[in-house]
Amino acid sequence: QVQLVQSGAEVKKPGSSVKVSCKASGGTFSNYAISWVRQAPGQGLEWMGGIIPIFGTSNYAQKFQGRVTITADESRSTAYMELSSLRSEDTAMYYCARLYSSGASHAFEIWGQGTMVTVSS
Amino acid sequence: SYELTQPPSVSVSPGQTASITCSGDKLGDKYACWYQQKPGQSPVLVIYQDTKRPSGIPERFSGSNSGNTATLTISGTQAMDEADYHCQAWDSSTGVVFGGGTKLTVL
């Protein structure tokens, strides 16, 4: 059974960047799309973007275009999400999740444990 | 951009049926899925492709999607079902879209 294990909590200053990792273990990594979803305290889920490692192609939600970079290292079975120009509103739990796709149906079947990113001066 | 709307909260008595709605323009023309999220935990997929249950999800969870509304139904609701529920769909222009989430309280 595939598991997604994320890197640990981060505390960052406003204006800086953060890079969070998501390592897949126990199964195939490259053939499945990995997305990043964040959740601010007490709020709902928000999709940031995703990548298909075997193709190396990323797509991003319009809100995060230009500020987020999602990459993958197939040799390490690891996906990364880097968010720049951090502000207090970016304080949130960040999840990676593996996408199950069947035709036009897309659902996140496996989730990482989450990485808390706190932006504070 | 495409949007999904959920009621902020729904209450149900133990053993009764809970229904949580998710509304979006012509949502019935897309596939909807649902996640359960308990405090301090990652979301768990409970319904995908409108009506399908992943392995391990109890049969009391069911889904439907027609017109502008998708519905998650929990039959014989148990105390352990108290959680936040999030709907999600995919839009060709916007990408992945989530609803705002619904807090289910089992009174």
Side-chain angles (χ1 to χ4, degrees):
Chain A
Q1 175 73 333
V2 174
Q3 286 188 312
L4 300 177
V5 180
Q6 300 182 222
S7 50
E10 302 264 12
V11 179
K12 294 292 183 179
K13 299 285 189 188
S16 66
S17 298
V18 67
K19 190 170 186 176
V20 181
S21 67
C22 170
K23 181 175 176 59
S25 61
T28 304
F29 171 74
S30 298
N31 295 339
Y32 292 90
I34 297 287
S35 274
W36 290 88
V37 176
R38 78 177 187 180
Q39 185 173 37
Q43 302 300 309
L45 302 172
E46 183 174 35
W47 180 70
M48 300 179 69
I51 187 168
I52 304 176
I54 197 171
F55 297 131
T57 52
S58 306
N59 62 326
Y60 304 114
Q62 187 171 6
K63 174 178 178 178
F64 298 100
Q65 287 273 4
R67 208 161 66 93
V68 69
T69 304
I70 296 173
T71 56
D73 182 340
E74 289 185 77
S75 66
R76 297 176 184 268
S77 297
T78 302
Y80 303 90
M81 184 284 299
E82 184 169 21
L83 187 62
S84 62
S85 302
L86 290 170
R87 35 206 187 234
S88 59
E89 309 90 88
D90 295 317
T91 293
M93 184 71 79
Y94 288 77
Y95 296 100
C96 63
R98 192 176 88 167
L99 193 68
Y100 168 79
S101 295
S102 176
S105 172
H106 307 281
F108 296 113
E109 57 173 348
I110 301 171
W111 292 71
Q113 85 275 19
T115 296
M116 186 68 205
V117 175
T118 302
V119 183
S120 174
S121 55
Chain B
S1 62
Y2 194 78
E3 296 183 356
L4 295 174
T5 301
Q6 298 180 235
S9 62
V10 168
S11 297
V12 64
S13 299
Q16 299 304 300
T17 297
S19 294
I20 301 173
T21 59
C22 175
S23 300
D25 184 47
K26 298 180 181 178
L27 180 56
D29 292 344
K30 308 178 189 299
Y31 283 114
C33 60
W34 293 88
Y35 303 91
Q36 177 193 69
Q37 186 180 28
K38 296 183 178 179
Q41 298 184 18
S42 302
V44 173
L45 181 66
V46 294
I47 293 290
Y48 69 100
Q49 213 165 318
D50 292 340
T51 61
K52 298 183 178 180
R53 279 179 292 104
S55 174
I57 300 302
E59 290 184 8
R60 63 179 181 275
F61 288 87
S62 63
S64 64
N65 185 16
S66 180
N68 294 322
T69 303
T71 303
L72 172 69
T73 303
I74 309 173
S75 304
T77 306
Q78 301 181 10
M80 68 171 63
D81 300 329
E82 186 163 287
D84 292 331
Y85 290 86
H86 308 271
C87 65
Q88 178 243 304
W90 185 83
D91 176 72
S92 58
S93 298
T94 307
V96 174
V97 182
F98 287 99
T102 298
K103 181 177 180 60
L104 177 67
T105 301
V106 183
L107 298 169

